[in-house]
Amino acid sequence: MVDSRIILEIVKELGGIENILKVNNCMTRLRVGVKDENNANRENIKKIDGVMGIIGKGNNIQVILGPGNAEKAR
């Protein structure tokens, strides 16, 4: 289950709120557009408890959180 702690960790590892351009979701994924992909630490995001994986290329990052959790995180 996604809680505020997980969300704050994801935001931090994405480079902070100032690095996030847009946020959307599908059933299982939090889809994030970032200003600078180099400020996003994909390896650390994978290690966050509750994150099932991460995919995407360039400035488009998708954090896999599982059914229902992505909408809550958004």
Side-chain angles (χ1 to χ4, degrees):
M1 174 135 266
V2 171
D3 61 21
S4 59
R5 178 193 55 81
I6 293 170
I7 295 166
L8 290 173
E9 285 185 58
I10 292 170
V11 169
K12 176 185 168 222
E13 297 303 336
L14 286 170
I17 195 78
E18 60 279 348
N19 196 43
I20 296 174
L21 293 172
K22 61 182 177 178
V23 178
N24 221 326
N25 71 281
C26 66
M27 179 94 169
T28 60
R29 298 176 187 172
L30 184 64
R31 299 171 187 250
V32 184
V34 296
K35 290 179 189 175
D36 186 347
E37 69 177 298
N38 295 314
N39 290 337
N41 190 324
R42 294 170 191 257
E43 290 304 312
N44 283 353
I45 293 171
K46 290 179 191 177
K47 295 176 187 176
I48 296 171
D49 187 37
V51 172
M52 302 169 110
I54 185 169
I55 60 172
K57 293 182 180 179
N59 293 7
N60 297 305
I61 299 171
Q62 297 180 27
V63 182
I64 304 168
L65 298 171
N69 289 323
E71 184 176 6
K72 182 177 180 183
R74 183 193 52 146

